[in-house]
Amino acid sequence: MTTLIVGGYGSVGRTIAEDLATASDDANAVIIAGRDETKANAVASEFGDNVSGIAFDLEETDSYARILKDVDQVVMCVDQSGTAFVEACLESGADYVDVTASDEFFRQVEQLDDLARDGDATAVLSVGLAPGVTNLLAKLMADQLSSVSDIQIGVLLGLGEAFGPAASRWTLERISREFAVPTAGHSGSIRGFSNPVPVEFPRYGQRWAYSFDFADQHVLHRTLNVPARTHLCFDSRGVTSAVYGLSWVGLYRPAVEAIGLDRLTDLVSTLSVGGDGFAVTVEVDGQQNSTAKTLMTAIDGREQSRVTGIVAATVALAIRDTAVPDGVHHIHEILDPEPILDVLRKQGYRLTNSEQVRETREPVPPNP
C-alpha cells in the first residue's frame, strides 16, 4: 500500500507521514510530495526507509498520471481551486482523503460521487478538527436520540500555535464575510464573526463565540437534515473582542484592504498572542423517546493542527484496512466515531460528556 501525501512537509502533513510510516511495513509506503523537493526529501528522511520525497506541483496537470502511478491512496493537505486532481485520483482508482475546511470545495467534490464509484475509489471529506471531529461528535450524540432538532458547535482556537499561511488566510478571509445558513425551512444570510452566543469550553470556561463559516454546519445540515450552527472564538479574549468590534462597526474589511490580505496573513502567521491549546464543544438538542434532552460533548488539548494530522492518518488507515463503500463521503457518513476518538484519547486529548433533561410539551417529530 502506497500513500501519497500532497503538501506533506507542512505541520499537518508531517504528522500524517509519521503516523503512517510507523503503521506500515511496506517499503516506500509513504511519499511526501510538494513543490520544494528539497523540503520533501528532508522531511521524508526524518521517518525512515518507508518514507520518500518527490517534487509535485498541482498546477502541472500533465504530471498527474506520473505522480499517481502505483499510488493506492492520496491524502491532500493543500487547498485547491478546482477538482482536476481529485478527478485524476478517482479515475485512477486511488482512494482520496482531504483535510480542507472549505464547504465550497466540498460541494464540488460531492458531484464526483459517480466518478468515484466507477473507479472503485473512496473519497473522504471533513477530515480534521472542524470539520472532522465536530462531525463525529455530532453524529455520535445524534445516534443516541430518537430525533434531533438542533446542533450547536463552539470552536476555541489558540493563537499561539504556528498556523501556516494558508490556514491563517482562510480564517482572515471569512471574518465579516456573508455566508448562507438554513433557517426555518429556508436559507438566510449571516456575517462572519457576528451574533455572539455564550459557549462553555472545558478548561477555558464560558466565552463569547461568534458565527463563522466552518464547513461542518453546512455538511451536517445536508447529511443529517438538522439545523446546525458553528461559532468561533480565540483563546485571547482581547483579540476576540477586537475582531468582533471591528466587524460590528464595519471596519474589518476596510482595515484588511488597507493593510493588504497577503501582508496581514504573513503578520498573523508569525505573531504569538495566545497559547497553543484548543477546545471544541458540541451540543445536540432532541428527543429520546418521550424525554427532551440536550447532549453535550467536548474535546480539548494542544495543537489543533496535530489533531487534523492524527485524524487524517487514522482515516487513511481505516479505508485501507476495512471495507468502506466507494463514492464520495464525509467522515461521519462511513466511519464509526468511537475508534477515531479512542485514538485521540490515547494521544492525550481529553473528551468530556454531559446530559441535560428538559421539559417539553410536545414531542419533537422524527427526522424524515
Side-chain angles (χ1 to χ4, degrees):
M1 174 67 70
T2 299
T3 301
L4 175 74
I5 307 173
V6 181
Y9 46 72
S11 58
V12 173
R14 283 172 177 265
T15 299
I16 299 169
E18 180 178 12
D19 286 0
L20 293 183
T22 56
S24 175
D25 297 326
D26 299 332
N28 300 316
V30 179
I31 303 172
I32 293 176
R35 291 181 177 179
D36 191 324
E37 186 173 12
T38 300
K39 286 184 178 179
N41 283 322
V43 172
S45 67
E46 299 176 13
F47 303 120
D49 296 337
N50 282 359
V51 186
S52 60
I54 191 171
F56 175 54
D57 188 338
L58 278 167
E59 300 299 321
E60 298 177 358
T61 56
D62 57 353
S63 69
Y64 289 177
R66 172 183 59 83
I67 201 75
L68 291 172
K69 184 179 180 181
D70 299 324
V71 167
D72 300 291
Q73 62 178 195
V74 174
V75 182
M76 176 59 67
C77 303
V78 178
D79 287 337
Q80 302 167 81
S81 58
T83 61
F85 183 66
V86 186
E87 294 175 42
C89 293
L90 301 179
E91 287 175 347
S92 72
D95 292 330
Y96 179 86
V97 177
D98 200 314
V99 306
T100 189
S102 170
D103 191 55
E104 298 93 335
F105 182 71
F106 287 168
R107 291 174 183 270
Q108 294 180 53
V109 178
E110 286 169 2
Q111 301 304 310
L112 305 178
D113 184 67
D114 288 341
L115 180 65
R117 294 176 188 276
D118 290 343
D120 296 325
T122 300
V124 186
L125 308 176
S126 297
V127 178
L129 179 64
V133 174
T134 52
N135 301 54
L136 295 173
L137 295 177
K139 181 64 163 56
L140 185 65
M141 288 184 291
D143 286 347
Q144 299 175 38
L145 298 171
S146 51
S147 63
V148 177
S149 58
D150 184 66
I151 298 172
Q152 295 288 332
I153 300 168
V155 178
L156 183 150
L157 298 179
L159 292 172
E161 184 170 353
F163 295 106
S168 298
R169 186 185 184 96
W170 186 91
T171 303
L172 291 169
E173 285 179 329
R174 281 161 174 75
I175 294 174
S176 201
R177 191 181 79 172
E178 297 279 335
F179 64 97
V181 292
T183 55
H186 63 278
S187 290
S189 182
I190 197 170
R191 193 175 72 252
F193 238 82
S194 65
N195 290 24
V197 299
V199 180
E200 189 72 26
F201 292 102
R203 299 188 192 275
Y204 295 90
Q206 189 177 90
R207 297 292 185 93
W208 288 104
Y210 303 85
S211 299
F212 202 76
D213 193 17
F214 282 110
D216 47 11
Q217 60 198 322
H218 308 298
V219 170
L220 290 170
H221 180 258
R222 286 201 300 276
T223 58
L224 302 182
N225 195 29
V226 176
R229 297 286 183 277
T230 306
H231 295 80
L232 169 70
C233 67
F234 305 114
D235 63 340
S236 168
R237 294 180 186 270
V239 171
T240 302
S241 298
V243 171
Y244 171 61
L246 287 171
S247 178
W248 186 72
V249 299
L251 292 179
Y252 177 80
R253 287 293 171 188
V256 171
E257 291 174 4
I259 298 171
L261 183 58
D262 290 339
R263 184 179 177 187
L264 185 60
T265 298
D266 291 339
L267 179 64
V268 170
S269 298
T270 56
L271 285 178
S272 179
V273 292
D276 65 353
F278 73 89
V280 166
T281 298
V282 182
E283 291 187 1
V284 177
D285 288 339
Q287 193 93 359
Q288 191 175 62
N289 300 321
S290 60
T291 304
K293 288 188 176 182
T294 297
L295 303 182
M296 187 279 287
T297 188
I299 182 171
D300 68 278
R302 298 176 57 243
E303 299 180 327
Q304 66 90 14
S305 61
R306 176 159 177 76
V307 172
T308 296
I310 293 171
V311 172
T314 305
V315 169
L317 292 171
I319 64 175
R320 182 195 74 175
D321 297 335
T322 60
V324 293
D326 296 334
V328 177
H329 311 275
H330 292 274
I331 187 171
H332 64 278
E333 294 183 288
I334 60 169
L335 294 176
D336 181 3
E338 282 293 359
I340 300 175
L341 298 176
D342 282 343
V343 171
L344 293 176
R345 289 188 187 98
K346 292 175 182 176
Q347 292 288 337
Y349 295 98
R350 187 181 66 159
L351 282 93
T352 54
N353 301 281
S354 68
E355 177 180 308
Q356 178 183 354
V357 177
R358 297 176 288 108
E359 293 185 0
T360 183
R361 294 183 179 179
E362 298 180 2
V364 180
N367 296 329

